[in-house]
Amino acid sequence: QQQVKQSPQSLIVQKGGIPIINCAYENTAFDYFPWYQQFPGKGPALLIAIRPDVSEKKEGRFTISFNKSAKQFSLHIMDSQPGDSATYFCAAPPGGTSYGKLTFGQGTILTVHP
Amino acid sequence: DGGITQSPKYLFRKEGQNVTLSCEQNLNHDAMYWYRQDPGQGLRLIYYSQIVNDFQKGDIAEGYSVSREKKESFPLTVTSAQKNPTAFYLCASSIQRSYNEQFFGPGTRLTVL
């Protein structure tokens, strides 16, 4: 069974700072690692995802860095804004043949102060 | 507009009652999922279905049941056997055999009185 460890549990930064959230996984048979963003009382929404034929993917202010040998990937938010305050989840596909399943990290509550 | 709808948004249950949460999607997705969200525990998979009339248990299926009679619908029943049902429940869907990209509904918050 896949396990995903996400850190930190919470993070507070000032506007313009660069919060970094880390995830580690155990094993995977499929190459797809998404990050989801969730605002209070809402469902999560896909933020950015990486397929690790590349080590980095950037979309706007959000960047995923991937280290396949270490089985780790990270989310960086450049020039963070108060509107980025949300809970962020990483996820990893299964290690076996359960195609379609994702295992989620525990989540990181990000607060960006003005 | 395509998307996933969940109803009701808030649900209150008395102890010993079964309740059913609705999930409908018009994205023409084959796969659908139910998650439970508790503070500090992320999203935990309850049940998932990759095709109509077929579903599999997730990591925390005890006390829950599902059905998948139509492609667009995947209702979840929280039975009286679920000892701690108060939580935020999320439904999701994805194209089967894709890179696992899942789209989530707005959630149902269930509270046991």
Side-chain angles (χ1 to χ4, degrees), chain A residues 64-89:
Chain A
I64 298 179
S65 300
F66 187 80
N67 185 331
K68 192 168 186 177
S69 61
K71 296 183 180 178
Q72 295 177 346
F73 56 110
S74 302
L75 176 69
H76 301 228
I77 305 176
M78 309 301 290
D79 188 27
S80 59
Q81 301 295 313
D84 297 329
S85 297
T87 300
Y88 293 82
F89 295 97

PDB file of all heavy atoms in Angstrom, chain A residues 64-89:
ATOM      1  N   ILE A  64       6.764  22.619  -9.362  1.00  0.00           N
ATOM      2  CA  ILE A  64       7.013  21.309  -8.747  1.00  0.00           C
ATOM      3  C   ILE A  64       8.442  20.913  -9.088  1.00  0.00           C
ATOM      4  O   ILE A  64       8.853  20.960 -10.247  1.00  0.00           O
ATOM      5  CB  ILE A  64       6.072  20.222  -9.291  1.00  0.00           C
ATOM      6  CG1 ILE A  64       4.617  20.528  -8.997  1.00  0.00           C
ATOM      7  CG2 ILE A  64       6.438  18.880  -8.660  1.00  0.00           C
ATOM      8  CD1 ILE A  64       3.661  19.476  -9.549  1.00  0.00           C
ATOM      9  N   SER A  65       9.176  20.484  -8.058  1.00  0.00           N
ATOM     10  CA  SER A  65      10.490  19.886  -8.255  1.00  0.00           C
ATOM     11  C   SER A  65      10.389  18.413  -7.906  1.00  0.00           C
ATOM     12  O   SER A  65       9.764  18.049  -6.908  1.00  0.00           O
ATOM     13  CB  SER A  65      11.527  20.559  -7.347  1.00  0.00           C
ATOM     14  OG  SER A  65      11.618  21.925  -7.640  1.00  0.00           O
ATOM     15  N   PHE A  66      10.995  17.560  -8.713  1.00  0.00           N
ATOM     16  CA  PHE A  66      10.850  16.116  -8.529  1.00  0.00           C
ATOM     17  C   PHE A  66      12.218  15.465  -8.479  1.00  0.00           C
ATOM     18  O   PHE A  66      13.071  15.732  -9.328  1.00  0.00           O
ATOM     19  CB  PHE A  66      10.024  15.529  -9.667  1.00  0.00           C
ATOM     20  CG  PHE A  66       9.674  14.084  -9.471  1.00  0.00           C
ATOM     21  CD1 PHE A  66       8.625  13.730  -8.657  1.00  0.00           C
ATOM     22  CD2 PHE A  66      10.418  13.088 -10.087  1.00  0.00           C
ATOM     23  CE1 PHE A  66       8.300  12.404  -8.457  1.00  0.00           C
ATOM     24  CE2 PHE A  66      10.101  11.761  -9.894  1.00  0.00           C
ATOM     25  CZ  PHE A  66       9.037  11.413  -9.076  1.00  0.00           C
ATOM     26  N   ASN A  67      12.414  14.602  -7.483  1.00  0.00           N
ATOM     27  CA  ASN A  67      13.654  13.847  -7.339  1.00  0.00           C
ATOM     28  C   ASN A  67      13.282  12.368  -7.292  1.00  0.00           C
ATOM     29  O   ASN A  67      12.925  11.838  -6.241  1.00  0.00           O
ATOM     30  CB  ASN A  67      14.379  14.262  -6.059  1.00  0.00           C
ATOM     31  CG  ASN A  67      15.752  13.594  -5.924  1.00  0.00           C
ATOM     32  OD1 ASN A  67      15.967  12.491  -6.421  1.00  0.00           O
ATOM     33  ND2 ASN A  67      16.668  14.259  -5.256  1.00  0.00           N
ATOM     34  N   LYS A  68      13.359  11.710  -8.446  1.00  0.00           N
ATOM     35  CA  LYS A  68      12.884  10.336  -8.548  1.00  0.00           C
ATOM     36  C   LYS A  68      13.728   9.378  -7.713  1.00  0.00           C
ATOM     37  O   LYS A  68      13.191   8.459  -7.083  1.00  0.00           O
ATOM     38  CB  LYS A  68      12.863   9.888 -10.009  1.00  0.00           C
ATOM     39  CG  LYS A  68      12.122   8.585 -10.245  1.00  0.00           C
ATOM     40  CD  LYS A  68      11.888   8.349 -11.716  1.00  0.00           C
ATOM     41  CE  LYS A  68      11.015   7.113 -11.924  1.00  0.00           C
ATOM     42  NZ  LYS A  68      10.701   6.905 -13.362  1.00  0.00           N
ATOM     43  N   SER A  69      15.031   9.581  -7.680  1.00  0.00           N
ATOM     44  CA  SER A  69      15.904   8.661  -6.935  1.00  0.00           C
ATOM     45  C   SER A  69      15.622   8.740  -5.441  1.00  0.00           C
ATOM     46  O   SER A  69      15.707   7.743  -4.726  1.00  0.00           O
ATOM     47  CB  SER A  69      17.371   8.957  -7.231  1.00  0.00           C
ATOM     48  OG  SER A  69      17.700  10.279  -6.824  1.00  0.00           O
ATOM     49  N   ALA A  70      15.271   9.926  -4.962  1.00  0.00           N
ATOM     50  CA  ALA A  70      14.961  10.111  -3.540  1.00  0.00           C
ATOM     51  C   ALA A  70      13.491   9.868  -3.234  1.00  0.00           C
ATOM     52  O   ALA A  70      13.091   9.890  -2.067  1.00  0.00           O
ATOM     53  CB  ALA A  70      15.360  11.526  -3.101  1.00  0.00           C
ATOM     54  N   LYS A  71      12.685   9.668  -4.257  1.00  0.00           N
ATOM     55  CA  LYS A  71      11.226   9.483  -4.115  1.00  0.00           C
ATOM     56  C   LYS A  71      10.613  10.667  -3.367  1.00  0.00           C
ATOM     57  O   LYS A  71       9.845  10.494  -2.406  1.00  0.00           O
ATOM     58  CB  LYS A  71      10.920   8.167  -3.416  1.00  0.00           C
ATOM     59  CG  LYS A  71      11.369   6.946  -4.212  1.00  0.00           C
ATOM     60  CD  LYS A  71      10.993   5.662  -3.514  1.00  0.00           C
ATOM     61  CE  LYS A  71      11.461   4.462  -4.326  1.00  0.00           C
ATOM     62  NZ  LYS A  71      11.152   3.179  -3.653  1.00  0.00           N
ATOM     63  N   GLN A  72      10.972  11.871  -3.807  1.00  0.00           N
ATOM     64  CA  GLN A  72      10.461  13.079  -3.171  1.00  0.00           C
ATOM     65  C   GLN A  72      10.055  14.091  -4.231  1.00  0.00           C
ATOM     66  O   GLN A  72      10.645  14.137  -5.315  1.00  0.00           O
ATOM     67  CB  GLN A  72      11.532  13.696  -2.267  1.00  0.00           C
ATOM     68  CG  GLN A  72      11.917  12.824  -1.077  1.00  0.00           C
ATOM     69  CD  GLN A  72      13.024  13.445  -0.250  1.00  0.00           C
ATOM     70  OE1 GLN A  72      13.692  14.386  -0.658  1.00  0.00           O
ATOM     71  NE2 GLN A  72      13.226  12.918   0.946  1.00  0.00           N
ATOM     72  N   PHE A  73       9.067  14.901  -3.903  1.00  0.00           N
ATOM     73  CA  PHE A  73       8.710  16.019  -4.764  1.00  0.00           C
ATOM     74  C   PHE A  73       8.209  17.177  -3.912  1.00  0.00           C
ATOM     75  O   PHE A  73       7.706  16.966  -2.798  1.00  0.00           O
ATOM     76  CB  PHE A  73       7.699  15.614  -5.843  1.00  0.00           C
ATOM     77  CG  PHE A  73       6.427  15.003  -5.348  1.00  0.00           C
ATOM     78  CD1 PHE A  73       5.224  15.697  -5.440  1.00  0.00           C
ATOM     79  CD2 PHE A  73       6.393  13.710  -4.824  1.00  0.00           C
ATOM     80  CE1 PHE A  73       4.044  15.124  -5.010  1.00  0.00           C
ATOM     81  CE2 PHE A  73       5.220  13.146  -4.392  1.00  0.00           C
ATOM     82  CZ  PHE A  73       4.034  13.853  -4.489  1.00  0.00           C
ATOM     83  N   SER A  74       8.378  18.373  -4.421  1.00  0.00           N
ATOM     84  CA  SER A  74       8.105  19.574  -3.636  1.00  0.00           C
ATOM     85  C   SER A  74       7.310  20.577  -4.449  1.00  0.00           C
ATOM     86  O   SER A  74       7.426  20.624  -5.677  1.00  0.00           O
ATOM     87  CB  SER A  74       9.407  20.236  -3.195  1.00  0.00           C
ATOM     88  OG  SER A  74      10.193  19.361  -2.437  1.00  0.00           O
ATOM     89  N   LEU A  75       6.529  21.379  -3.739  1.00  0.00           N
ATOM     90  CA  LEU A  75       5.789  22.490  -4.335  1.00  0.00           C
ATOM     91  C   LEU A  75       6.395  23.794  -3.814  1.00  0.00           C
ATOM     92  O   LEU A  75       6.541  23.955  -2.604  1.00  0.00           O
ATOM     93  CB  LEU A  75       4.309  22.411  -3.961  1.00  0.00           C
ATOM     94  CG  LEU A  75       3.439  23.569  -4.440  1.00  0.00           C
ATOM     95  CD1 LEU A  75       3.281  23.538  -5.952  1.00  0.00           C
ATOM     96  CD2 LEU A  75       2.062  23.536  -3.759  1.00  0.00           C
ATOM     97  N   HIS A  76       6.737  24.701  -4.734  1.00  0.00           N
ATOM     98  CA  HIS A  76       7.237  26.023  -4.389  1.00  0.00           C
ATOM     99  C   HIS A  76       6.223  27.042  -4.916  1.00  0.00           C
ATOM    100  O   HIS A  76       5.769  26.931  -6.070  1.00  0.00           O
ATOM    101  CB  HIS A  76       8.588  26.308  -5.049  1.00  0.00           C
ATOM    102  CG  HIS A  76       9.663  25.339  -4.684  1.00  0.00           C
ATOM    103  ND1 HIS A  76      10.918  25.738  -4.281  1.00  0.00           N
ATOM    104  CD2 HIS A  76       9.699  23.987  -4.666  1.00  0.00           C
ATOM    105  CE1 HIS A  76      11.662  24.676  -4.032  1.00  0.00           C
ATOM    106  NE2 HIS A  76      10.951  23.600  -4.269  1.00  0.00           N
ATOM    107  N   ILE A  77       5.908  28.033  -4.090  1.00  0.00           N
ATOM    108  CA  ILE A  77       5.006  29.096  -4.516  1.00  0.00           C
ATOM    109  C   ILE A  77       5.795  30.401  -4.515  1.00  0.00           C
ATOM    110  O   ILE A  77       6.167  30.913  -3.449  1.00  0.00           O
ATOM    111  CB  ILE A  77       3.776  29.204  -3.594  1.00  0.00           C
ATOM    112  CG1 ILE A  77       3.069  27.848  -3.501  1.00  0.00           C
ATOM    113  CG2 ILE A  77       2.823  30.273  -4.124  1.00  0.00           C
ATOM    114  CD1 ILE A  77       1.885  27.837  -2.535  1.00  0.00           C
ATOM    115  N   MET A  78       6.074  30.910  -5.685  1.00  0.00           N
ATOM    116  CA  MET A  78       6.832  32.147  -5.807  1.00  0.00           C
ATOM    117  C   MET A  78       5.933  33.346  -5.532  1.00  0.00           C
ATOM    118  O   MET A  78       4.733  33.319  -5.846  1.00  0.00           O
ATOM    119  CB  MET A  78       7.426  32.251  -7.209  1.00  0.00           C
ATOM    120  CG  MET A  78       8.210  31.028  -7.664  1.00  0.00           C
ATOM    121  SD  MET A  78       9.596  30.641  -6.595  1.00  0.00           S
ATOM    122  CE  MET A  78      10.667  32.022  -7.001  1.00  0.00           C
ATOM    123  N   ASP A  79       6.525  34.410  -4.934  1.00  0.00           N
ATOM    124  CA  ASP A  79       5.790  35.653  -4.705  1.00  0.00           C
ATOM    125  C   ASP A  79       4.400  35.364  -4.115  1.00  0.00           C
ATOM    126  O   ASP A  79       3.371  35.766  -4.680  1.00  0.00           O
ATOM    127  CB  ASP A  79       5.673  36.434  -6.012  1.00  0.00           C
ATOM    128  CG  ASP A  79       5.086  37.823  -5.828  1.00  0.00           C
ATOM    129  OD1 ASP A  79       5.231  38.381  -4.730  1.00  0.00           O
ATOM    130  OD2 ASP A  79       4.432  38.326  -6.783  1.00  0.00           O
ATOM    131  N   SER A  80       4.371  34.667  -3.004  1.00  0.00           N
ATOM    132  CA  SER A  80       3.087  34.233  -2.447  1.00  0.00           C
ATOM    133  C   SER A  80       2.197  35.428  -2.096  1.00  0.00           C
ATOM    134  O   SER A  80       2.675  36.511  -1.721  1.00  0.00           O
ATOM    135  CB  SER A  80       3.321  33.358  -1.223  1.00  0.00           C
ATOM    136  OG  SER A  80       4.052  34.049  -0.232  1.00  0.00           O
ATOM    137  N   GLN A  81       0.898  35.202  -2.236  1.00  0.00           N
ATOM    138  CA  GLN A  81      -0.123  36.221  -2.015  1.00  0.00           C
ATOM    139  C   GLN A  81      -1.114  35.740  -0.948  1.00  0.00           C
ATOM    140  O   GLN A  81      -1.293  34.528  -0.775  1.00  0.00           O
ATOM    141  CB  GLN A  81      -0.864  36.493  -3.317  1.00  0.00           C
ATOM    142  CG  GLN A  81       0.036  36.963  -4.453  1.00  0.00           C
ATOM    143  CD  GLN A  81       0.661  38.315  -4.161  1.00  0.00           C
ATOM    144  OE1 GLN A  81      -0.014  39.254  -3.729  1.00  0.00           O
ATOM    145  NE2 GLN A  81       1.972  38.410  -4.364  1.00  0.00           N
ATOM    146  N   PRO A  82      -1.793  36.675  -0.269  1.00  0.00           N
ATOM    147  CA  PRO A  82      -2.796  36.252   0.719  1.00  0.00           C
ATOM    148  C   PRO A  82      -3.848  35.308   0.130  1.00  0.00           C
ATOM    149  O   PRO A  82      -4.357  34.436   0.829  1.00  0.00           O
ATOM    150  CB  PRO A  82      -3.407  37.571   1.177  1.00  0.00           C
ATOM    151  CG  PRO A  82      -2.280  38.555   1.028  1.00  0.00           C
ATOM    152  CD  PRO A  82      -1.542  38.121  -0.213  1.00  0.00           C
ATOM    153  N   GLY A  83      -4.163  35.463  -1.150  1.00  0.00           N
ATOM    154  CA  GLY A  83      -5.133  34.586  -1.803  1.00  0.00           C
ATOM    155  C   GLY A  83      -4.646  33.161  -1.983  1.00  0.00           C
ATOM    156  O   GLY A  83      -5.432  32.279  -2.326  1.00  0.00           O
ATOM    157  N   ASP A  84      -3.358  32.921  -1.747  1.00  0.00           N
ATOM    158  CA  ASP A  84      -2.823  31.560  -1.802  1.00  0.00           C
ATOM    159  C   ASP A  84      -3.065  30.806  -0.500  1.00  0.00           C
ATOM    160  O   ASP A  84      -2.781  29.603  -0.417  1.00  0.00           O
ATOM    161  CB  ASP A  84      -1.311  31.590  -2.065  1.00  0.00           C
ATOM    162  CG  ASP A  84      -0.950  32.192  -3.408  1.00  0.00           C
ATOM    163  OD1 ASP A  84      -1.761  32.062  -4.349  1.00  0.00           O
ATOM    164  OD2 ASP A  84       0.135  32.801  -3.515  1.00  0.00           O
ATOM    165  N   SER A  85      -3.561  31.510   0.516  1.00  0.00           N
ATOM    166  CA  SER A  85      -3.839  30.858   1.802  1.00  0.00           C
ATOM    167  C   SER A  85      -4.887  29.772   1.596  1.00  0.00           C
ATOM    168  O   SER A  85      -6.018  30.039   1.192  1.00  0.00           O
ATOM    169  CB  SER A  85      -4.327  31.878   2.822  1.00  0.00           C
ATOM    170  OG  SER A  85      -3.336  32.841   3.086  1.00  0.00           O
ATOM    171  N   ALA A  86      -4.496  28.536   1.856  1.00  0.00           N
ATOM    172  CA  ALA A  86      -5.339  27.376   1.573  1.00  0.00           C
ATOM    173  C   ALA A  86      -4.637  26.142   2.138  1.00  0.00           C
ATOM    174  O   ALA A  86      -3.531  26.238   2.684  1.00  0.00           O
ATOM    175  CB  ALA A  86      -5.543  27.207   0.062  1.00  0.00           C
ATOM    176  N   THR A  87      -5.278  25.011   1.982  1.00  0.00           N
ATOM    177  CA  THR A  87      -4.641  23.734   2.324  1.00  0.00           C
ATOM    178  C   THR A  87      -4.173  23.074   1.033  1.00  0.00           C
ATOM    179  O   THR A  87      -4.913  23.024   0.048  1.00  0.00           O
ATOM    180  CB  THR A  87      -5.616  22.806   3.061  1.00  0.00           C
ATOM    181  OG1 THR A  87      -6.051  23.450   4.266  1.00  0.00           O
ATOM    182  CG2 THR A  87      -4.935  21.490   3.428  1.00  0.00           C
ATOM    183  N   TYR A  88      -2.958  22.583   1.059  1.00  0.00           N
ATOM    184  CA  TYR A  88      -2.361  21.969  -0.122  1.00  0.00           C
ATOM    185  C   TYR A  88      -2.104  20.488   0.149  1.00  0.00           C
ATOM    186  O   TYR A  88      -1.597  20.110   1.199  1.00  0.00           O
ATOM    187  CB  TYR A  88      -1.050  22.676  -0.476  1.00  0.00           C
ATOM    188  CG  TYR A  88      -1.282  24.090  -0.943  1.00  0.00           C
ATOM    189  CD1 TYR A  88      -1.461  25.131  -0.036  1.00  0.00           C
ATOM    190  CD2 TYR A  88      -1.367  24.387  -2.301  1.00  0.00           C
ATOM    191  CE1 TYR A  88      -1.718  26.428  -0.462  1.00  0.00           C
ATOM    192  CE2 TYR A  88      -1.616  25.686  -2.735  1.00  0.00           C
ATOM    193  CZ  TYR A  88      -1.785  26.695  -1.812  1.00  0.00           C
ATOM    194  OH  TYR A  88      -2.048  27.971  -2.248  1.00  0.00           O
ATOM    195  N   PHE A  89      -2.477  19.665  -0.824  1.00  0.00           N
ATOM    196  CA  PHE A  89      -2.284  18.223  -0.724  1.00  0.00           C
ATOM    197  C   PHE A  89      -1.434  17.739  -1.894  1.00  0.00           C
ATOM    198  O   PHE A  89      -1.691  18.101  -3.043  1.00  0.00           O
ATOM    199  CB  PHE A  89      -3.619  17.470  -0.794  1.00  0.00           C
ATOM    200  CG  PHE A  89      -4.546  17.723   0.349  1.00  0.00           C
ATOM    201  CD1 PHE A  89      -5.555  18.652   0.252  1.00  0.00           C
ATOM    202  CD2 PHE A  89      -4.420  16.995   1.518  1.00  0.00           C
ATOM    203  CE1 PHE A  89      -6.429  18.881   1.306  1.00  0.00           C
ATOM    204  CE2 PHE A  89      -5.288  17.205   2.578  1.00  0.00           C
ATOM    205  CZ  PHE A  89      -6.290  18.157   2.471  1.00  0.00           C
TER     206      PHE A  89
END
